[in-house]
């Protein structure tokens, strides 16, 4: 008797644990996901009575139903950018491509052979720790006080306990202080300044007038820029770039090989990436001062938390 | 009698809890496919160059299972899709698949100790979801989002968003750029050339 009871409880536990009845509201949607499909089919059949079931014969339709979720930030976005300098940019793009394949990649590969991965990650951590001033300032300028506090704590902890930034104890599970992925270009974006047009800088790569501010700002905010003999500064910068490249060998090649027109592919990837970053920072911004504020106030100071 | 009752009760409980197992939530369905990919790639029995083709063949089958290829192609062409004749569409779907295989096949096969974590699904519309995952390597975390659509009761991927960059949109921009100047036949020619080189 006891045995049977135990096995019933066991079976129940197993069944409950394995059942996909999580509290996720999407499950409700799942059960209701059938009717709209049929509805759509009926609709399209009306438009086109002699329609076959072959999806190849169906026309492309925009996702009208996505508009209902216009407030949903992950809705499919269509971002584009003006490219008045395309002919010049294509030349610079070629130059950067050659720079990568002829100089950066061979050096990074040699470096990768000699330096073990753990050491390269430490070097990456070190340089990323030095990027603290730009990230901290950007958080402040975006009125993201919690982000700024996170950055300040990260910098202190990683510098002191992370042996000058070589280790990154703050992003571990216990402290969970993640690096704030932001910069001055994003700050301008959060303030409502548009991206402008596409520029490819030699060495620095894809950019826009707005994001060029980051390149310029980093020149003043990066401690490395204050190293005295210029040769030391150059050396450290090259180490930073080569080290970073050694951890990413293959990424550039993969994106390039996948592209039909690499220039356009990189332009689009850059624009999409920056757009989503600014969007994410804006969401953080507008979620802090009050409910449902989607437009960006002209004065960033007015939206400070706690006002 | 009591024993009998308990047995009946157990059967009843099992029946009740097995009802909500429909097509499977979007997250589970993508997760299942990705785990199968990892299983194929990491299969210790399939090692070396010779096994590469076998793996690729298995991945091809899985690709068809996981992706809605026509939806995928259609979205990369967007409005331009309507300019293609049915034959051209068929060829495009085929060529686009080969472009993807060429670009990402070896990349997928080279994955070894990366960990994949699925953590969220969000609703885009009644029959579209975004399943969020991340690939964790020793030096970085790469967010990978799969957009899935309900295609005849099955959740099929129609877009992959890697590090905030949507694959569909990336190709759409490129194809749009070409189709703004040239006709569909020219685009197909470019793709044919791309697939045959290397």
């Amino acid at each position: 008797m006891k045995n049977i009871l135990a096995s019933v409880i066991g079976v129940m536990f197993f069944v409950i644990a394995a059942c996909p009845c999580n509290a996720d509201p999407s499950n409700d949607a799942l059960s209701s996901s059938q009717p709209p499909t049929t509805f759509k089919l009926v609709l399209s059949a009306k438009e086109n009575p002699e329609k076959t079931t072959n999806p190849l014969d169906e026309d492309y339709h925009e996702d009208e139903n996505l508009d209902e979720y216009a407030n949903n930030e992950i809705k499919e976005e269509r971002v584009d950018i003006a490219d008045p300098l395309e002919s010049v940019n294509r030349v610079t793009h070629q130059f950067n491509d050659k720079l990568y394949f002829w100089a950066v990649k061979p050096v990074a590969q040699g470096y990768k052979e000699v330096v073990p991965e753990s050491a390269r990650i430490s070097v990456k951590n070190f340089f990323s720790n030095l990027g603290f001033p730009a990230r901290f300032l950007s958080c402040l300028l975006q009125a993201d006080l919690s982000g700024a506090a996170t950055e300040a704590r990260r910098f202190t902890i990683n510098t002191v306990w992370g042996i000058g930034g070589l280790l990154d104890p703050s992003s571990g599970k216990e402290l969970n202080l993640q690096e704030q992925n932001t910069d001055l270009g994003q700050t301008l974006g959060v303030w409502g300044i548009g991206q402008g047009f596409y520029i490819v800088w030699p060495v620095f790569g894809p950019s826009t007038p707005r994001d060029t501010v980051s390149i310029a700002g980093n020149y003043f905010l990066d401690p490395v820029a204050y190293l005295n003999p210029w040769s030391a500064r150059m050396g450290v910068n090259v180490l930073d770039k080569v080290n970073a490249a050694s951890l990413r060998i293959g990424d550039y090649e993969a994106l390039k090989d996948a592209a039909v027109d690499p220039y356009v592919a990189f332009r689009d990837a850059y624009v999409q990436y920056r757009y989503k970053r600014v969007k994410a920072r804006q969401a953080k911004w507008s979620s802090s001062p009050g409910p449902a504020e989607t437009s960006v106030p002209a004065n960033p100071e007015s939206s400070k938390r706690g006002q | 009698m009591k024993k009998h009752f308990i047995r009946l009760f157990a059967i009843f409980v099992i029946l009740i809890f097995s009802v909500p197992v429909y097509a499977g939530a979007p997250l589970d369905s993508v997760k299942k496919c990705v785990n199968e990919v990892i299983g194929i790639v990491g299969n210790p029995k399939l090692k070396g160059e010779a096994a590469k083709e076998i793996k690729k063949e298995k991945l091809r089958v899985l690709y068809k299972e996981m992706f809605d290829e026509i939806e995928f192609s259609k979205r990369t062409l967007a409005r331009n899709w309507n300019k293609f004749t049915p034959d051209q569409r068929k060829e495009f779907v085929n060529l686009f698949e080969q472009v993807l295989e060429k670009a990402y096949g070896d990349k997928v096969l080279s994955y070894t100790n990366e960990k994949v974590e699925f953590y969220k699904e969000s609703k885009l519309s009644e029959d579209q979801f975004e399943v969020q995952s991340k690939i964790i390597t020793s030096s970085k975390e790469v967010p990978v989002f799969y957009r899935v659509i309900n295609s005849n009761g099955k959740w099929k991927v129609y877009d992959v968003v890697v590090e905030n960059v949507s694959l569909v949109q990336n190709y759409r921009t490129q194809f749009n750029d070409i189709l703004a100047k040239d006709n569909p036949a020219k685009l197909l020619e470019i793709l044919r050339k791309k697939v045959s080189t290397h």
Side-chain angles (χ1 to χ4, degrees), chain A residues 1 4-5 8 11-12 15-16 19-21 24 26-27 29-34 36-37 40 54-63 65-66 69 72 74-80 86 90 117 121 124 247-248 250-251 254-262 264-270 272-273 276-277, chain B residues 2-3 6-7 9-10 13-14 17-18 20-22 24-26 28 70 74-75 78-79 81-82 86 89-90 93 99 103-104 107 121-130 132 138-140 147 149-150 153 155 158-159 161 163-166 168-175 177-178 187 190-191 194 198:
Chain A
M1 186 66 235
I4 293 171
L5 201 68
V8 167
V11 166
M12 269 187 80
V15 165
I16 291 172
C19 150
C21 295
D24 199 331
S26 56
N27 265 337
L30 260 181
S31 40
S32 62
S33 62
Q34 278 319 101
T37 324
K40 226 165 106 187
N54 187 355
L56 277 172
D57 299 332
E58 280 173 35
D59 276 352
Y60 171 80
H61 297 289
E62 299 274 332
D63 279 334
N65 45 0
L66 283 184
Y69 296 86
N72 192 341
I74 57 165
K75 157 191 171 246
E76 191 165 354
E77 313 275 2
R78 309 235 157 113
V79 270
D80 215 346
E86 184 171 342
R90 276 188 188 267
E117 193 182 28
I121 293 172
K124 186 192 93 176
L247 290 165
R248 283 199 313 259
D251 286 4
L255 199 53
K256 192 188 168 191
D257 286 344
V260 179
D261 180 347
V264 176
F266 279 102
R267 183 180 72 196
D268 178 76
Y270 179 76
Q272 278 197 56
Y273 178 77
K276 301 256 177 72
R277 289 300 320 157
Chain B
K2 214 174 178 185
K3 221 170 170 179
I6 287 169
R7 269 191 200 149
F9 182 69
V13 163
I14 290 168
F17 284 107
S18 48
V21 185
Y22 15 60
D28 295 327
I70 293 173
K74 212 185 253 185
R75 281 167 186 270
R79 289 172 197 279
W81 172 265
N82 302 347
R89 289 174 184 178
K90 203 173 162 191
V93 172
V99 168
Y104 298 104
K107 187 107 181 129
E121 67 183 27
S122 25
K123 190 172 160 183
L124 299 173
S125 77
E126 278 309 324
D127 51 7
Q128 281 161 274
F129 278 81
E130 185 174 75
Q132 307 193 348
S138 46
S139 61
K140 58 185 184 253
R147 296 201 172 138
I149 192 163
N150 185 349
W155 293 103
Y158 70 86
D159 191 5
V161 184
E163 195 113 44
N164 283 332
V165 178
S166 145
V168 161
Q169 207 206 308
N170 197 268
Y171 279 108
R172 187 188 292 154
T173 313
Q174 296 176 55
F175 294 150
D177 204 66
I178 294 167
L187 176 63
I190 292 172
L191 291 178
K194 174 146 187 75
H198 269 289

Side-chain angles (χ1 to χ4, degrees), chain A residues 156-282:
Chain A
T156 318
I157 292 165
N158 286 355
T159 306
V160 178
W161 282 280
I163 323 172
L166 288 174
L167 305 175
D168 184 8
S170 338
S171 64
K173 278 223 166 66
E174 298 78 21
L175 292 167
N176 194 21
L177 296 169
Q178 302 305 331
E179 187 176 288
Q180 304 293 304
N181 179 356
T182 190
D183 54 47
L184 295 172
Q186 285 177 26
T187 305
L188 293 179
V190 170
W191 290 358
I193 294 170
Q195 55 184 355
F197 53 91
Y198 187 59
I199 311 173
V200 183
W201 291 111
V203 185
F204 292 105
S207 192
T208 61
R210 187 181 76 196
D211 295 337
T212 302
V213 171
S214 296
I215 303 174
N218 278 348
Y219 182 78
F220 293 103
L221 293 168
D222 185 4
V224 174
Y226 292 90
L227 276 179
N228 215 335
W230 70 271
S231 48
R233 191 162 67 226
M234 279 299 278
V236 172
N237 272 327
V238 167
L239 173 65
D240 180 12
K241 296 285 170 292
V242 168
N243 184 72
S246 78
L247 290 165
R248 283 199 313 259
I249 288 178
D251 286 4
Y252 177 80
E253 292 86 332
L255 199 53
K256 192 188 168 191
D257 286 344
V260 179
D261 180 347
Y263 171 77
V264 176
F266 279 102
R267 183 180 72 196
D268 178 76
Y270 179 76
V271 171
Q272 278 197 56
Y273 178 77
R274 293 298 293 182
Y275 178 81
K276 301 256 177 72
R277 289 300 320 157
V278 168
K279 203 88 183 170
R281 298 299 300 181
Q282 255 171 357

Side-chain angles (χ1 to χ4, degrees), chain B residues 39 46 54-57 87 123 125 129-130 152-153 193:
Chain B
L46 297 171
I54 304 173
K55 283 189 190 175
K56 272 194 178 164
E57 192 46 53
D87 282 343
K123 190 172 160 183
S125 77
F129 278 81
E130 185 174 75
N152 300 325
K193 224 166 142 187

